[in-house]
Amino acid sequence: AAWPPPLPFMEELWDPLAPVLLLGWMALHALLYLMPVGKVTEGIVLRDGKRLKYPINGFHSLCISTLLLMLFLRLGAHLESLFELFLPLAASAIALSFLLSFYLYIRSFWAPPHDLAVGGNTGNPLYDFFIGRELNPRIGFFDLKYFCELRPGLIGWAVINLGMLMKEVELQGSPSLAMLLVVSFQLLYVADALWNEEAILTTMDIVHDGFGFMLAFGDLAWVPFTYSLQAAYLVKHPQTLSSLQALAIVALKVVGYTIFRRSNSQKNQFRRDPTHPSVSKLETIATATGKRLLVSGWWGLVRHPNYLGDLFMALAWSLPCGFSHLLPYFYVIYFTILLIHREDRDERQCKAKYGLAWDSYCQRVPYRIFPYIY
């Protein structure tokens, strides 16, 4: 509840090592993206009838990054230095986000009309710069949006967390149970996202949103440097958890992960193959577009059960940090606002796309995210 401290001085935001590390990290993952391993899959049908191809090798990138980190640690690298480099790295990532966004905005004026995002071409330069004009900007086979969406930022988040854990060990002599819970929970989240990388091809980010500042900044700066705030907080504010508290937090994480993963898997399986045995017996509503809407299973519980599971997991990440400061709860507060706003965008798109069928679905499934609440 204290007045916020003054903003950091410019000297605290700059370290010549930070941009070198950041660009090296981006280059590493660009090379891993181009690895001829894993399968190649097709995205949805675009307006011009084409289907773009995407390499599904993000989990391979995570594994190789882990092996390289182990090698560097064996060679004497000090990963705990990421704690001191946290602000310079964040500042460098923000600068890179702006540079990438300017490049994306300028190149979009040479893209053919069918390659532009429907919502990113309002004629308002500020809005179009923010939301993104081009839907799938590519340099040859290299898809810039798909690359940034899960790889450098998401894996970078896990690496920053590991650096925070090692800094706590340096200061306290051993990692706390609270730190181990936060780091392991979030590593599971990262690994799960990359293991199920193919599912991102049907998400709003890939299907509808252009690639502009919103996604560039979110992927490269926001995710690794705000999602790691719990681990960064615990470095200087160690918490003691009882066995009962830890079990309750683990139970909340397991419940959230189960809802999140099973509902997402059910949705993605239904979108790709409605005749699959795991979804073929679920109740559906026909739409004028020829597609069908799920009204049973996880999607008969609430309209966005994956968001409900996501929020349970977010709370489980924050609870190990105790209740003495608001900072560890920034993520869950922000994420609640984000998902409610995202759900509203999704509702409007579905209403425009499915019409009366969507009204029928909403009558059958009245709650949007929280059963009996919202």
Side-chain angles (χ1 to χ4, degrees):
W3 189 257
L7 292 173
F9 294 108
M10 287 302 296
E11 304 85 70
E12 297 177 66
L13 298 177
W14 170 250
D15 187 304
L17 182 59
V20 173
L21 287 175
L22 180 65
L23 293 175
W25 182 251
M26 295 293 293
L28 168 66
H29 282 280
L31 290 173
L32 295 178
Y33 177 97
L34 298 171
M35 286 189 306
V37 298
K39 66 178 181 178
V40 175
T41 193
E42 292 183 331
I44 65 164
V45 179
L46 302 176
R47 292 203 302 275
D48 61 353
K50 294 190 301 185
R51 297 181 70 179
L52 298 176
K53 294 183 178 181
Y54 299 88
I56 308 300
N57 59 11
F59 192 78
H60 298 83
S61 298
L62 174 64
C63 294
I64 293 173
S65 299
T66 302
L67 292 174
L68 288 174
L69 277 174
M70 292 172 62
L71 175 61
F72 288 141
L73 290 172
R74 291 280 294 178
L75 294 174
H78 295 282
L79 205 59
E80 61 272 16
S81 299
L82 290 176
F83 181 75
E84 285 76 23
L85 286 169
F86 191 82
L87 284 180
L89 282 169
S92 297
I94 293 169
L96 179 61
S97 302
F98 271 102
L99 291 173
L100 176 60
S101 301
F102 281 118
Y103 165 74
L104 293 167
Y105 183 73
I106 293 168
R107 66 162 275 158
S108 68
F109 290 97
W110 280 268
H114 56 73
D115 284 348
L116 300 179
V118 174
N121 293 275
T122 64
N124 182 325
L126 185 61
Y127 180 81
D128 292 346
F129 171 82
F130 176 81
I131 207 72
R133 296 188 76 243
E134 193 173 355
L135 184 62
N136 301 294
R138 289 188 161 208
I139 301 174
F141 174 73
F142 196 96
D143 191 293
L144 294 169
K145 180 168 70 171
Y146 176 70
F147 166 72
C148 290
E149 191 76 9
L150 287 183
R151 294 157 186 258
L154 208 65
I155 301 174
W157 166 27
V159 174
I160 290 171
N161 276 354
L162 181 59
M164 301 302 129
L165 184 148
M166 296 184 70
K167 185 64 178 182
E168 186 187 50
V169 171
E170 180 187 273
L171 295 175
Q172 307 295 334
S174 62
S176 64
L177 178 57
M179 179 70 85
L180 289 173
L181 287 179
V182 167
V183 171
S184 58
F185 286 169
Q186 295 182 352
L187 179 59
L188 172 63
Y189 190 86
V190 170
D192 175 84
L194 292 164
W195 181 262
N196 296 283
E197 184 180 25
E198 190 172 356
I200 200 175
L201 299 180
T202 59
T203 61
M204 184 184 297
D205 287 0
I206 298 295
V207 174
H208 296 292
D209 293 336
F211 193 28
F213 181 77
M214 180 180 74
L215 288 180
F217 173 79
D219 294 340
L220 302 179
W222 187 263
V223 167
F225 296 101
T226 61
Y227 288 21
S228 56
L229 282 177
Q230 289 98 342
Y233 174 80
L234 288 171
V235 171
K236 291 291 185 71
H237 306 85
Q239 303 293 314
T240 302
L241 294 177
S242 68
S243 298
L244 186 60
Q245 289 172 323
L247 284 173
I249 293 170
V250 170
L252 178 62
K253 168 68 178 182
V254 170
V255 169
Y257 178 74
T258 300
I259 297 172
F260 172 80
R261 176 45 44 216
R262 290 192 175 181
S263 60
N264 268 329
S265 297
Q266 192 175 76
K267 173 190 68 176
N268 293 322
Q269 185 60 63
F270 182 75
R271 283 178 173 175
R272 291 192 171 276
D273 182 13
T275 63
H276 192 274
S278 64
V279 295
S280 61
K281 295 182 180 179
L282 295 175
E283 190 176 353
T284 61
I285 293 176
T287 71
T289 65
K291 295 184 177 180
R292 304 187 73 86
L293 300 174
L294 280 173
V295 291
S296 63
W298 290 104
W299 300 86
L301 175 67
V302 289
R303 295 180 215 165
H304 297 274
N306 50 340
Y307 292 177
L308 177 65
D310 231 341
L311 289 171
F312 281 173
M313 289 192 290
L315 183 59
W317 299 350
S318 301
L319 288 173
C321 300
F323 300 100
S324 60
H325 204 288
L326 185 63
L327 182 68
Y329 292 87
F330 170 79
Y331 173 77
V332 68
I333 294 169
Y334 142 76
F335 205 50
T336 301
I337 297 169
L338 172 79
L339 291 182
I340 289 174
H341 178 264
R342 190 181 181 92
E343 177 272 335
D344 182 65
R345 288 174 62 202
D346 195 37
E347 291 269 330
R348 283 185 273 115
Q349 288 181 352
C350 289
K351 171 64 178 174
K353 187 175 182 180
Y354 300 120
L356 293 176
W358 185 253
D359 292 336
S360 298
Y361 173 65
C362 292
Q363 290 176 355
R364 291 285 301 273
V365 187
Y367 298 105
R368 298 183 175 206
I369 299 177
F370 304 99
Y372 305 104
I373 299 175
Y374 174 76

